[in-house]
Amino acid sequence: MMESCVKVPLKPSVLEDVVEKDKDYALIHGVIMRTRDAPNSSEIISYAPHVLLPSPVPTSLFHQAIDVQTDFNLLLHGVIQDKEFLQSSLKSTIQVDNFTRRLYEIYEAVYVNGTPSQPIQLGLLRADYMFDSPNGKETACEDIKLKQIEINTIASSFAGLGSQLPQLHSYNLQNLGEEKKVSSLPENKAVNGLALGLLEGFKAYGNDRAAILFLIEDVSQNIFDQRWLEYRIQELGQSIHVLRRKFSDVMERATVQENKLFIDDYEIAVVYFRFGYMPQQYKSEKEWETRLLLEKSLAIKCPSIPYHLAGTKKVQQELSRPGTLERFQKLFPDPVASMQKIRDTFAGLYTLDLGEDGDKTVTMAMENPDKYVLKPQREGGGNNIFGKDIVTTLEEIGQDIRRSEYILMDRVRPAVIPNYQVRHGSPVELMDMVSELGVYGVVISKGKEVLYNSNAGHLLRTKSINFDDGGVAAGAAVLDSPYLL
C-alpha cells in the first residue's frame, strides 16, 4: 500500500499557508499556463494545475521505466524502418479509419513508392505507464506492477513545466517541516533532454544558419511549456533561431526550393510538431497537401509520418503479439534482456480485426467490460471507452469492419493515493488520486544506423479517481513529481 509522503489531512491553517506560498512560487518560477478564458493571450496567466505534494512512486518501478526507455527507442526505430510490418499492422485500420488512412497515403507516397529527400529520422517519444495494484489499496508495494498505457510519438508535451515540479514540491515540503524528505525527489531534466534531442537533429541537418520550426496550434493555452523548451534550445545552442508558426502560416507562406523548406526567408532544419495529431486539425485538403509538402522536403520532421504511424494503438497492439519482438531482436545489443524488459511492461493488448482472434476479443469484452479499455487510434486524451459503453459500442458495430478502428487493452487498476489538487478557480481539497508516469526518449537515425539514443527525463501526472481518461491539456490530470519509496 502506498501512502502520502506527508501525513494528511493537513490542519486547515497549515493547508491555507502552504497553498498560498505554493501558488506564488509556481507563478514566480514559471509553472504557469494561460487561462481557458483567454488561451491566446499572455496578459492573464495562472499557475498550471498541479498537486500540492509529490506522489509516492516505488523506486524499483521508477527505475524500471527509466531503464527500458532506450530499448523502446530502438524498437520504434526498427518499426519505422520495417515497411512490411507497418503495412501488415495497419492494413485493416486504414480501411475504416480515415485519419490513419490519410497519414498512411503520405507514407506510401514518400517512403514506399518514392525515396524521401531526408534520410535522417528524429523521434521525441514518451512512454506512459500506470502502477497496477490488483488488490486495490491493500496491494503491498512489492506487488505493484509497472504497466505501459501507450507510447506517444507526436507532440509529447509538459517536459517544460514538468521539469519545474521537483523544485516546487521541495519548497512545499520544506514549508511543512519535511526537509529530510526532499532527497527522495529525483531530479527531472526532461526539458534539457528534449532540447538536446532537437539540437542533435539540427546539427545532423548540417546548416548552422537554418532554423528550428515549432509547428503550433491555433489555440496555445499551454504556450509556456513550449517556451521552456524553446529557451533551453537557445541557451544550449546560442545562435539557433527558433520559429513558432501556426499550420495556417505554413500553408500560406512555406515554399520548397531544391527540396529545402523555407518560411519567412528562413531555411528550416527541423520541423517540431506540436500540432497535427487530431483529425479536426486537418480542416481541408490544403492541410493534407501541406503535410505532404513538409514530408517530402529536406527538413527533418519530428515526427516523420513513419514515427506518427508507429505511435498508433494498432501498431502497439501488434508489437505485443507473442513472437513479434523477435522480428526486431537484431537492434538490441543484448536481445534476450531487452525483449524481456519490454515485455515486462506490456499490459494485455488484443486485436478487434474481423476474424477468429477479433471475435474472441469481443466475447472477452462483452462478458467482462470492466476489465478492459476500448481504445481508438487517437491522441490528445479523452477518447477511450470504458465499462458498459464498451458493450454498447461493440453491439452497435457488430460484425462491421469498423471494429478495426479500435483495439482492446486490459484495464490497469492503478494505486490510489490521497493528495491535494491545486487548480485555478477550484477549492484545494484532499481527494483520492491516481498517477501516470511518462518517460521521454530521444532517438535519431540515418537509415538503419542509430546516431543518438537517450533517455530524456520523466513526467508524472495525477488525476482524481473520478476521471477514467484524459491528461493535463484535456483538463483531467494535473502536474506532479515522484516521491520515491
Side-chain angles (χ1 to χ4, degrees):
M1 179 177 180
M2 295 201 295
E3 296 181 348
S4 173
C5 63
V6 173
K7 187 177 180 180
V8 292
L10 300 174
K11 292 180 180 179
S13 59
V14 173
L15 178 63
E16 182 179 1
D17 179 66
V18 75
V19 167
E20 181 180 0
K21 292 176 179 176
D22 166 278
K23 291 177 180 179
D24 290 344
Y25 186 98
L27 289 166
I28 290 172
H29 291 84
V31 187
I32 52 178
M33 292 181 75
R34 290 172 171 172
T35 65
R36 288 187 177 275
D37 293 335
N40 276 337
S41 172
S42 295
E43 295 300 314
I44 304 173
I45 60 171
S46 183
Y47 48 85
H50 60 278
V51 287
L52 187 67
L53 305 169
S55 292
V57 171
T59 300
S60 61
L61 301 187
F62 178 79
H63 288 298
Q64 180 186 356
I66 298 293
D67 292 345
V68 75
Q69 185 57 46
T70 51
D71 295 305
F72 272 111
N73 292 349
L74 291 176
L75 178 60
L76 269 290
H77 159 69
V79 168
I80 68 164
Q81 300 294 329
D82 193 331
K83 296 175 185 177
E84 183 181 315
F85 178 75
L86 278 175
Q87 288 171 328
S88 63
S89 296
L90 295 170
K91 64 182 179 182
S92 58
T93 304
I94 61 177
Q95 294 180 54
V96 292
D97 187 295
N98 186 59
F99 182 62
T100 306
R101 178 179 62 82
R102 295 302 301 265
L103 294 173
Y104 189 83
E105 286 173 351
I106 296 176
Y107 171 69
E108 204 166 42
V110 177
Y111 295 89
V112 178
N113 299 327
T115 301
S117 301
Q118 180 55 264
I120 296 171
Q121 298 272 1
L122 167 59
L124 298 190
L125 316 176
R126 194 186 71 220
D128 291 337
Y129 304 89
M130 296 189 93
F131 308 108
D132 191 30
S133 303
N135 298 318
K137 290 185 178 181
E138 302 308 313
T139 306
C141 270
E142 59 268 23
D143 294 328
I144 298 173
K145 303 297 183 184
L146 186 78
K147 293 299 175 185
Q148 190 180 93
I149 304 302
E150 63 181 350
I151 297 182
N152 299 280
T153 61
I154 182 169
S156 299
S157 58
F158 289 108
L161 296 185
S163 294
Q164 317 313 313
L165 263 292
Q167 293 90 330
L168 173 61
H169 283 152
S170 295
Y171 175 73
N172 289 347
L173 288 175
Q174 291 171 34
N175 285 326
L176 289 167
E178 300 283 0
E179 295 90 347
K180 292 182 179 179
K181 295 183 177 178
V182 169
S183 61
S184 293
L185 304 182
E187 187 177 16
N188 191 353
K189 294 185 176 181
V191 69
N192 268 53
L194 295 194
L196 285 170
L198 289 166
L199 278 173
E200 290 297 322
F202 177 87
K203 293 175 186 176
Y205 184 78
N207 180 359
D208 59 10
R209 292 176 296 175
I212 296 174
L213 172 64
F214 279 35
L215 194 59
I216 62 171
E217 299 171 296
D218 291 336
V219 177
S220 295
Q221 185 183 1
N222 191 28
I223 187 173
F224 301 112
D225 179 57
Q226 299 171 25
R227 290 293 195 197
W228 273 108
L229 183 55
E230 176 186 341
Y231 300 156
R232 193 56 48 86
I233 290 169
Q234 292 176 321
E235 288 169 8
L236 296 170
Q238 299 296 319
S239 60
I240 293 177
H241 290 285
V242 178
L243 310 179
R244 291 175 55 84
R245 298 292 186 270
K246 297 176 182 178
F247 208 40
S248 55
D249 298 327
V250 177
M251 289 190 323
E252 292 170 6
R253 304 200 297 273
T255 60
V256 173
Q257 304 167 29
E258 297 180 344
N259 290 332
K260 297 176 182 177
L261 178 67
F262 291 86
I263 185 167
D264 300 335
D265 297 324
Y266 284 96
E267 181 180 346
I268 303 302
V270 178
V271 181
Y272 174 48
F273 284 81
R274 294 295 292 250
F275 177 91
Y277 51 88
M278 294 190 289
Q280 57 266 37
Q281 294 171 334
Y282 295 79
K283 299 174 182 177
S284 69
E285 283 300 309
K286 185 64 176 175
E287 280 83 359
W288 287 110
E289 291 169 4
T290 303
R291 186 72 190 265
L292 176 61
L293 177 83
L294 296 175
E295 201 66 31
K296 292 172 70 174
S297 77
L298 195 60
I300 297 170
K301 278 70 64 176
C302 181
S304 64
I305 287 285
Y307 265 119
H308 195 159
L309 291 172
T312 58
K313 307 299 185 291
K314 183 60 182 173
V315 167
Q316 292 169 30
Q317 177 258 307
E318 290 294 326
L319 285 172
S320 73
R321 283 185 184 272
T324 300
L325 291 184
E326 281 72 12
R327 183 184 185 108
F328 303 100
Q329 62 183 325
K330 291 182 179 179
L331 297 166
F332 307 112
D334 185 345
V336 174
S338 293
M339 290 189 295
Q340 189 59 52
K341 285 162 62 179
I342 290 171
R343 281 200 178 99
D344 285 345
T345 70
F346 282 159
L349 294 164
Y350 312 98
T351 182
L352 279 162
D353 290 349
L354 294 181
E356 184 179 352
D357 289 345
D359 291 343
K360 288 180 180 178
T361 301
V362 170
T363 300
M364 286 166 35
M366 300 290 273
E367 290 178 349
N368 293 288
D370 289 334
K371 291 178 62 177
Y372 303 102
V373 181
L374 193 61
K375 305 182 80 168
Q377 314 298 318
R378 293 290 175 269
E379 299 297 333
N383 300 300
N384 295 334
I385 300 170
F386 299 84
K388 64 179 186 296
D389 292 335
I390 294 176
V391 175
T392 302
T393 301
L394 291 178
E395 284 180 342
E396 189 274 325
I397 292 173
Q399 285 292 320
D400 193 281
I401 195 173
R402 287 181 296 133
R403 216 168 67 182
S404 294
E405 291 180 21
Y406 302 90
I407 65 162
L408 195 74
M409 188 182 86
D410 285 344
R411 187 169 185 176
V412 175
R413 301 294 176 181
V416 177
I417 44 94
N419 210 329
Y420 293 93
Q421 179 177 272
V422 184
R423 184 189 290 275
H424 176 70
S426 299
V428 179
E429 297 174 338
L430 189 66
M431 61 181 69
D432 282 339
M433 309 188 81
V434 296
S435 295
E436 184 171 323
L437 175 67
V439 178
Y440 297 98
V442 178
V443 58
I444 303 174
S445 60
K446 185 174 184 180
K448 294 185 177 181
E449 181 187 4
V450 176
L451 306 176
Y452 187 92
N453 178 23
S454 177
N455 172 290
H458 63 273
L459 170 71
L460 195 70
R461 293 164 295 167
T462 298
K463 62 187 175 186
S464 164
I465 60 172
N466 295 322
F467 287 102
D468 279 327
D469 193 21
V472 179
V478 298
L479 297 169
D480 199 349
S481 62
Y483 176 82
L484 298 184
L485 299 174

